[in-house]
Amino acid sequence: MKKRFSEEQIVKILQEHKEGKTISEVCRNYGIAENTFYIWQRKYGNMQLDDVRRMKSLEDENRKLKRLVAELSLENMVQKDVIKNFSSPEL
């Protein structure tokens, strides 16, 4: 699913409200529902652009680490299987 607004854009939209525009004005300007605005406010409310960029980089790093752990776990299971098959006594 393609997002219509990036995290940086969302933070800028929320900043407009903090600078004095009403929620309905901001929503009308960007074509979003007020519910969407409140969801964004809950998620990104106290963030600055640097915080959002850092969050994105941490999420990317976390994704890479999860993939690495999954690959290593699979490799470990295969190695244990091979060792088990070679070490079992033949009847």
Side-chain angles (χ1 to χ4, degrees), residues 5 25 30 39 42 74 88-89:
F5 296 100
E25 282 179 316
Y30 292 98
I39 290 169
R42 198 174 328 124
L74 183 62
S88 64

Side-chain angles (χ1 to χ4, degrees), residues 9-53:
Q9 290 171 327
I10 292 171
V11 170
K12 288 179 183 177
I13 291 169
L14 293 174
Q15 287 293 331
E16 285 187 26
H17 171 63
K18 288 180 184 176
E19 292 170 358
K21 286 188 177 181
T22 65
I23 293 174
S24 59
E25 282 179 316
V26 173
C27 292
R28 198 174 328 110
N29 288 343
Y30 292 98
I32 58 173
E34 286 190 21
N35 287 344
T36 303
F37 180 87
Y38 288 119
I39 290 169
W40 289 351
Q41 194 173 36
R42 198 174 328 124
K43 187 172 182 181
Y44 302 105
N46 297 326
M47 289 189 177
Q48 300 296 323
L49 285 177
D50 292 337
D51 298 333
V52 172
R53 290 183 185 122

Side-chain angles (χ1 to χ4, degrees), residues 34-90:
E34 286 190 21
N35 287 344
T36 303
F37 180 87
Y38 288 119
I39 290 169
W40 289 351
Q41 194 173 36
R42 198 174 328 124
K43 187 172 182 181
Y44 302 105
N46 297 326
M47 289 189 177
Q48 300 296 323
L49 285 177
D50 292 337
D51 298 333
V52 172
R53 290 183 185 122
R54 179 159 167 70
M55 182 180 70
K56 277 179 102 173
S57 70
L58 289 174
E59 287 173 348
D60 289 341
E61 182 180 355
N62 191 28
R63 193 176 310 110
K64 290 175 186 175
L65 290 173
K66 283 182 178 182
R67 188 179 318 123
L68 180 64
V69 167
E71 290 172 0
L72 289 174
S73 296
L74 183 62
E75 190 175 311
N76 189 13
M77 284 179 16
V78 169
Q79 288 176 353
K80 284 182 180 180
D81 225 17
V82 168
I83 291 171
K84 180 181 167 187
N85 289 338
F86 278 113
S87 65
S88 64
E90 298 289 327

